[in-house]
Amino acid sequence: MTLYGVGLGPGEANLVTVRGKQVLESVDVVYSPGRLSRTVALNHVDESKIGDLEFPMTKDEEKLRSAWKEAAAEIAPNARDGDVAFVTLGDPNVYSTFGHLRRTIDAFHPNVELEIVPGVSAVTAFATAMGVEIEAGAGLSLREAANGTSPTGPDRMILFKVTDAPATHDGLVDAGYEVTYGRRLFMEQGETIITDDPEEIDERDYYTLAYAEKETLEVEQATAAFQREADSSDGSSMPSSERESGTRSNESTRAETTTAGEPVGLGSELHELERSEGFEHGDCEQHWY
């Protein structure tokens, strides 16, 4: 019998993997640590199958450890007698609160079998949403940029937890980066925004990523020659690099609104709900990466 850690993906119910859906449908109980993950899971299982877990809204590590011990004590017997799942947005092993449960289970219930089902992470899904290609052989660094910090160094970076985009933007531009921001990518809750203007997303929102690329970066792929040949044959005078840049600019500045379309700035009902979920996860901020 098994405890499955199931990654639900970035937030859209149809981005749950086939394996993840199969596990959710087959287990006896699906444990959810928060309302957003619960909402996604309910697209695949009946509400009667959901086991909600309670976590205190606190930064007190001792209280959080106690809460995780209680959660593990509830889950472990069911995982020994049958199959259960613990769901989390994103991937269970990428900036996920599932690690808290796994460590607690390992420490106090080592006889519980555990299997992890990967999920689509916003760290990778961002490339499709933003129209960015990470070419073969390209270097890419993952950094945190909470509270206006501006990590620099690598030619390409994905920044997560961009909670003060204008401050982060200033530091990145000074360091020679071009930056595109993505908020609530592939999420059904709130508004999806893709922009290169940090003022458009100046409200604090944990579900904000940024892609930063050095302005001086030049990458030549072998297949780029095909486009130059096509340009020559049709008489086009615009360099392919300029055309690609223009295409990317158009893609990066589009903004889409989900069916929910609810604002999520500081103080909004949805923001407070998600802030609460972050504490329920055992962390102070949400993770859907």
Side-chain angles (χ1 to χ4, degrees):
M1 302 304 169
T2 304
L3 163 61
Y4 294 90
V6 179
L8 297 176
E12 288 186 358
N14 60 4
L15 287 180
V16 174
T17 66
V18 173
R19 173 62 175 160
K21 181 177 176 65
Q22 291 172 341
V23 168
L24 293 179
E25 293 174 344
S26 68
V27 298
D28 303 306
V29 184
V30 176
Y31 287 101
S32 168
R35 296 187 185 183
L36 293 184
S37 54
R38 189 181 197 274
T39 298
V40 178
L42 282 173
N43 285 270
H44 303 282
V45 299
D46 188 78
E47 188 169 10
S48 62
K49 203 173 184 179
I50 300 290
D52 293 316
L53 299 172
E54 297 292 332
F55 296 100
M57 292 180 62
T58 179
K59 296 181 181 181
D60 187 307
E61 291 188 357
E62 189 60 39
K63 290 181 180 180
L64 288 171
R65 281 194 290 265
S66 177
W68 281 106
K69 285 176 67 176
E70 291 178 10
E74 176 181 336
I75 293 171
N78 292 325
R80 283 192 291 265
D81 297 337
D83 292 329
V84 302
F86 180 95
V87 295
T88 178
L89 294 183
D91 183 276
N93 276 346
V94 181
Y95 294 100
S96 169
T97 56
F98 178 72
H100 293 301
L101 179 63
R102 177 182 56 77
R103 286 184 287 272
T104 308
I105 289 286
D106 287 345
F108 296 100
H109 309 279
N111 57 340
V112 171
E113 295 292 328
L114 189 144
E115 180 178 329
I116 295 176
V117 180
V120 178
S121 170
V123 169
T124 52
F126 92 97
T128 296
M130 292 183 172
V132 172
E133 178 188 0
I134 308 300
E135 306 92 341
L140 185 65
S141 179
L142 178 62
R143 301 290 180 88
E144 182 174 333
N147 301 317
T149 57
S150 303
T152 58
D155 289 335
R156 291 185 178 93
M157 297 185 293
I158 305 170
L159 308 178
F160 62 99
K161 293 185 186 176
V162 184
T163 53
D164 186 346
T168 294
H169 190 82
D170 289 343
L172 292 173
V173 169
D174 289 345
Y177 288 92
E178 294 179 344
V179 192
T180 305
Y181 299 91
R183 172 169 290 177
R184 296 181 174 259
L185 306 177
F186 296 107
M187 295 188 71
E188 294 177 348
Q189 304 84 8
E191 181 184 14
T192 296
I193 299 175
I194 299 175
T195 180
D196 57 7
D197 182 359
E199 298 299 330
E200 290 188 29
I201 52 172
D202 60 352
E203 292 181 330
R204 183 182 179 92
D205 189 313
Y206 299 117
Y207 296 99
T208 302
L209 289 170
Y211 174 67
E213 181 178 294
K214 281 286 183 69
E215 295 176 349
T216 56
L217 181 65
E218 295 184 5
V219 178
E220 177 70 13
Q221 296 294 313
T223 46
F226 296 150
Q227 188 62 57
R228 289 196 298 272
E229 292 172 2
D231 292 343
S232 298
S233 63
D234 66 13
S236 173
S237 60
M238 179 184 291
S240 61
S241 60
E242 291 184 18
R243 183 171 51 258
E244 290 167 0
S245 175
T247 300
R248 177 176 162 188
S249 177
N250 290 336
E251 291 171 336
S252 67
T253 55
R254 73 184 184 276
E256 302 170 354
T257 303
T258 64
T259 54
E262 183 177 347
V264 292
L266 279 176
S268 72
E269 182 179 350
L270 183 56
H271 175 271
E272 292 304 317
L273 181 154
E274 292 168 354
R275 182 172 181 272
S276 171
E277 178 167 334
F279 285 113
E280 288 174 349
H281 282 174
D283 290 320
C284 298
E285 296 180 342
Q286 296 81 358
H287 301 286
W288 91 116
Y289 306 100

Short mmCIF file of all heavy atoms in Angstrom, two decimals, residues 150-157 159 167-181 211-218 248:
data_model
loop_
_atom_site.label_atom_id
_atom_site.label_comp_id
_atom_site.label_asym_id
_atom_site.label_seq_id
_atom_site.Cartn_x
_atom_site.Cartn_y
_atom_site.Cartn_z
N SER A 150 17.12 41.48 -6.79
CA SER A 150 17.47 41.37 -8.21
C SER A 150 18.72 40.52 -8.37
O SER A 150 19.83 41.05 -8.53
CB SER A 150 17.70 42.76 -8.82
OG SER A 150 16.58 43.58 -8.65
N PRO A 151 18.58 39.20 -8.32
CA PRO A 151 19.76 38.36 -8.52
C PRO A 151 20.32 38.53 -9.92
O PRO A 151 19.57 38.69 -10.89
CB PRO A 151 19.21 36.94 -8.30
CG PRO A 151 17.76 37.04 -8.55
CD PRO A 151 17.35 38.43 -8.15
N THR A 152 21.63 38.53 -10.05
CA THR A 152 22.26 38.72 -11.35
C THR A 152 23.40 37.73 -11.51
O THR A 152 23.77 37.04 -10.58
CB THR A 152 22.81 40.15 -11.50
OG1 THR A 152 23.76 40.41 -10.46
CG2 THR A 152 21.69 41.19 -11.41
N GLY A 153 23.95 37.68 -12.71
CA GLY A 153 25.10 36.81 -12.97
C GLY A 153 24.95 36.01 -14.24
O GLY A 153 25.57 36.32 -15.26
N PRO A 154 24.07 34.95 -14.24
CA PRO A 154 23.92 34.11 -15.42
C PRO A 154 23.33 34.87 -16.61
O PRO A 154 22.65 35.89 -16.43
CB PRO A 154 22.96 33.00 -14.94
CG PRO A 154 23.05 33.03 -13.45
CD PRO A 154 23.30 34.45 -13.09
N ASP A 155 23.55 34.35 -17.82
CA ASP A 155 23.00 34.98 -19.02
C ASP A 155 21.49 34.89 -19.07
O ASP A 155 20.81 35.79 -19.58
CB ASP A 155 23.58 34.34 -20.28
CG ASP A 155 25.05 34.69 -20.47
OD1 ASP A 155 25.46 35.74 -19.96
OD2 ASP A 155 25.77 33.90 -21.12
N ARG A 156 20.95 33.79 -18.57
CA ARG A 156 19.50 33.58 -18.56
C ARG A 156 19.08 33.16 -17.15
O ARG A 156 19.73 32.33 -16.52
CB ARG A 156 19.08 32.45 -19.52
CG ARG A 156 19.23 32.74 -21.00
CD ARG A 156 18.63 31.55 -21.73
NE ARG A 156 18.65 31.70 -23.16
CZ ARG A 156 19.61 31.25 -23.94
NH1 ARG A 156 20.66 30.68 -23.41
NH2 ARG A 156 19.53 31.40 -25.25
N MET A 157 17.95 33.71 -16.69
CA MET A 157 17.44 33.33 -15.38
C MET A 157 15.92 33.23 -15.42
O MET A 157 15.25 34.00 -16.12
CB MET A 157 17.82 34.36 -14.32
CG MET A 157 19.30 34.52 -14.06
SD MET A 157 19.59 35.67 -12.69
CE MET A 157 19.00 37.22 -13.42
N LEU A 159 13.14 33.76 -12.59
CA LEU A 159 12.99 34.28 -11.24
C LEU A 159 11.58 33.95 -10.75
O LEU A 159 10.61 34.16 -11.48
CB LEU A 159 13.20 35.79 -11.22
CG LEU A 159 14.49 36.30 -11.87
CD1 LEU A 159 14.53 37.82 -11.82
CD2 LEU A 159 15.71 35.71 -11.19
N ALA A 167 10.84 47.06 -8.28
CA ALA A 167 12.16 47.09 -7.64
C ALA A 167 13.09 46.06 -8.26
O ALA A 167 14.26 46.33 -8.52
CB ALA A 167 12.02 46.85 -6.14
N THR A 168 12.57 44.86 -8.49
CA THR A 168 13.38 43.82 -9.13
C THR A 168 13.80 44.25 -10.52
O THR A 168 14.95 44.04 -10.94
CB THR A 168 12.59 42.49 -9.20
OG1 THR A 168 12.36 42.00 -7.88
CG2 THR A 168 13.34 41.44 -10.01
N HIS A 169 12.88 44.86 -11.25
CA HIS A 169 13.14 45.29 -12.63
C HIS A 169 14.30 46.29 -12.69
O HIS A 169 15.19 46.18 -13.55
CB HIS A 169 11.88 45.92 -13.21
CG HIS A 169 11.95 46.19 -14.68
ND1 HIS A 169 11.71 45.23 -15.62
CD2 HIS A 169 12.25 47.33 -15.36
CE1 HIS A 169 11.84 45.74 -16.82
NE2 HIS A 169 12.17 47.02 -16.70
N ASP A 170 14.29 47.26 -11.79
CA ASP A 170 15.34 48.28 -11.81
C ASP A 170 16.72 47.66 -11.68
O ASP A 170 17.66 48.01 -12.42
CB ASP A 170 15.12 49.29 -10.67
CG ASP A 170 13.93 50.19 -10.92
OD1 ASP A 170 13.48 50.27 -12.07
OD2 ASP A 170 13.44 50.81 -9.94
N GLY A 171 16.86 46.70 -10.77
CA GLY A 171 18.15 46.06 -10.56
C GLY A 171 18.59 45.23 -11.76
O GLY A 171 19.77 45.23 -12.13
N LEU A 172 17.63 44.56 -12.39
CA LEU A 172 17.95 43.72 -13.55
C LEU A 172 18.33 44.56 -14.76
O LEU A 172 19.29 44.24 -15.48
CB LEU A 172 16.77 42.82 -13.88
CG LEU A 172 16.44 41.73 -12.85
CD1 LEU A 172 15.14 41.03 -13.21
CD2 LEU A 172 17.57 40.71 -12.75
N VAL A 173 17.60 45.63 -14.99
CA VAL A 173 17.92 46.51 -16.13
C VAL A 173 19.29 47.14 -15.94
O VAL A 173 20.09 47.23 -16.89
CB VAL A 173 16.83 47.59 -16.29
CG1 VAL A 173 17.27 48.65 -17.30
CG2 VAL A 173 15.52 46.96 -16.74
N ASP A 174 19.60 47.58 -14.74
CA ASP A 174 20.91 48.16 -14.47
C ASP A 174 22.03 47.15 -14.73
O ASP A 174 23.16 47.54 -15.09
CB ASP A 174 20.99 48.64 -13.01
CG ASP A 174 20.14 49.89 -12.77
OD1 ASP A 174 19.75 50.53 -13.76
OD2 ASP A 174 19.88 50.19 -11.59
N ALA A 175 21.71 45.87 -14.56
CA ALA A 175 22.72 44.82 -14.78
C ALA A 175 22.74 44.33 -16.23
O ALA A 175 23.47 43.39 -16.56
CB ALA A 175 22.45 43.63 -13.85
N GLY A 176 21.93 44.96 -17.10
CA GLY A 176 21.98 44.63 -18.52
C GLY A 176 21.06 43.51 -18.97
O GLY A 176 21.33 42.85 -19.97
N TYR A 177 19.93 43.32 -18.28
CA TYR A 177 18.99 42.26 -18.64
C TYR A 177 17.74 42.84 -19.32
O TYR A 177 17.31 43.95 -19.00
CB TYR A 177 18.52 41.48 -17.41
CG TYR A 177 19.56 40.57 -16.81
CD1 TYR A 177 20.40 41.01 -15.79
CD2 TYR A 177 19.68 39.25 -17.24
CE1 TYR A 177 21.35 40.17 -15.23
CE2 TYR A 177 20.62 38.40 -16.67
CZ TYR A 177 21.46 38.87 -15.67
OH TYR A 177 22.40 38.04 -15.12
N GLU A 178 17.18 42.04 -20.23
CA GLU A 178 15.83 42.26 -20.73
C GLU A 178 14.93 41.32 -19.95
O GLU A 178 15.27 40.15 -19.75
CB GLU A 178 15.74 41.97 -22.22
CG GLU A 178 16.55 42.93 -23.09
CD GLU A 178 16.44 42.59 -24.56
OE1 GLU A 178 16.00 41.45 -24.87
OE2 GLU A 178 16.79 43.44 -25.39
N VAL A 179 13.77 41.81 -19.51
CA VAL A 179 12.95 41.05 -18.58
C VAL A 179 11.50 40.96 -19.07
O VAL A 179 10.94 41.95 -19.53
CB VAL A 179 12.96 41.67 -17.17
CG1 VAL A 179 12.35 40.70 -16.16
CG2 VAL A 179 14.36 42.07 -16.75
N THR A 180 10.94 39.78 -18.98
CA THR A 180 9.52 39.55 -19.25
C THR A 180 8.89 38.91 -18.01
O THR A 180 9.49 38.02 -17.41
CB THR A 180 9.31 38.63 -20.46
OG1 THR A 180 10.00 39.18 -21.59
CG2 THR A 180 7.83 38.49 -20.78
N TYR A 181 7.70 39.37 -17.67
CA TYR A 181 7.02 38.88 -16.46
C TYR A 181 5.80 38.05 -16.83
O TYR A 181 5.10 38.34 -17.80
CB TYR A 181 6.59 40.05 -15.58
CG TYR A 181 7.75 40.89 -15.12
CD1 TYR A 181 8.18 41.99 -15.87
CD2 TYR A 181 8.45 40.57 -13.96
CE1 TYR A 181 9.25 42.75 -15.47
CE2 TYR A 181 9.54 41.32 -13.56
CZ TYR A 181 9.94 42.41 -14.32
OH TYR A 181 11.02 43.15 -13.92
N TYR A 211 11.36 36.16 -16.61
CA TYR A 211 12.44 35.59 -17.43
C TYR A 211 13.39 36.72 -17.76
O TYR A 211 12.99 37.74 -18.37
CB TYR A 211 11.89 34.96 -18.70
CG TYR A 211 12.98 34.50 -19.65
CD1 TYR A 211 13.81 33.44 -19.30
CD2 TYR A 211 13.19 35.13 -20.87
CE1 TYR A 211 14.80 33.01 -20.16
CE2 TYR A 211 14.18 34.70 -21.73
CZ TYR A 211 14.99 33.64 -21.37
OH TYR A 211 15.98 33.23 -22.21
N ALA A 212 14.63 36.59 -17.36
CA ALA A 212 15.64 37.64 -17.58
C ALA A 212 16.74 37.09 -18.48
O ALA A 212 17.28 36.01 -18.23
CB ALA A 212 16.22 38.09 -16.24
N GLU A 213 17.08 37.87 -19.52
CA GLU A 213 18.10 37.45 -20.48
C GLU A 213 19.03 38.63 -20.75
O GLU A 213 18.58 39.75 -20.96
CB GLU A 213 17.43 36.99 -21.77
CG GLU A 213 18.40 36.51 -22.83
CD GLU A 213 17.67 36.01 -24.07
OE1 GLU A 213 16.96 35.00 -23.95
OE2 GLU A 213 17.79 36.65 -25.12
N LYS A 214 20.33 38.38 -20.73
CA LYS A 214 21.29 39.44 -20.98
C LYS A 214 21.09 40.03 -22.38
O LYS A 214 20.91 39.30 -23.35
CB LYS A 214 22.72 38.89 -20.87
CG LYS A 214 23.23 38.74 -19.44
CD LYS A 214 23.56 40.09 -18.83
CE LYS A 214 24.14 39.95 -17.42
NZ LYS A 214 25.48 39.35 -17.43
N GLU A 215 21.09 41.34 -22.46
CA GLU A 215 20.89 42.01 -23.75
C GLU A 215 21.97 41.64 -24.76
O GLU A 215 21.74 41.64 -25.96
CB GLU A 215 20.89 43.53 -23.54
CG GLU A 215 19.73 44.04 -22.71
CD GLU A 215 19.82 45.53 -22.44
OE1 GLU A 215 20.89 46.11 -22.73
OE2 GLU A 215 18.83 46.12 -21.96
N THR A 216 23.15 41.32 -24.27
CA THR A 216 24.29 41.03 -25.16
C THR A 216 24.35 39.56 -25.57
O THR A 216 25.23 39.18 -26.34
CB THR A 216 25.60 41.40 -24.45
OG1 THR A 216 25.68 40.70 -23.19
CG2 THR A 216 25.66 42.90 -24.19
N LEU A 217 23.42 38.75 -25.07
CA LEU A 217 23.47 37.33 -25.36
C LEU A 217 23.18 37.06 -26.84
O LEU A 217 22.19 37.55 -27.38
CB LEU A 217 22.45 36.58 -24.49
CG LEU A 217 22.40 35.06 -24.68
CD1 LEU A 217 23.70 34.41 -24.24
CD2 LEU A 217 21.22 34.48 -23.90
N GLU A 218 24.02 36.29 -27.49
CA GLU A 218 23.83 35.89 -28.87
C GLU A 218 23.94 34.38 -28.98
O GLU A 218 24.95 33.81 -28.57
CB GLU A 218 24.85 36.57 -29.79
CG GLU A 218 24.71 38.08 -29.87
CD GLU A 218 25.69 38.71 -30.86
OE1 GLU A 218 26.39 37.92 -31.55
OE2 GLU A 218 25.74 39.94 -30.94
N ARG A 248 8.72 37.95 -30.39
CA ARG A 248 8.79 37.70 -28.96
C ARG A 248 8.19 38.86 -28.18
O ARG A 248 7.51 38.69 -27.19
CB ARG A 248 10.23 37.46 -28.54
CG ARG A 248 10.36 37.26 -27.03
CD ARG A 248 11.78 36.95 -26.67
NE ARG A 248 11.97 37.17 -25.27
CZ ARG A 248 13.14 37.12 -24.66
NH1 ARG A 248 14.21 36.85 -25.38
NH2 ARG A 248 13.25 37.34 -23.38
#
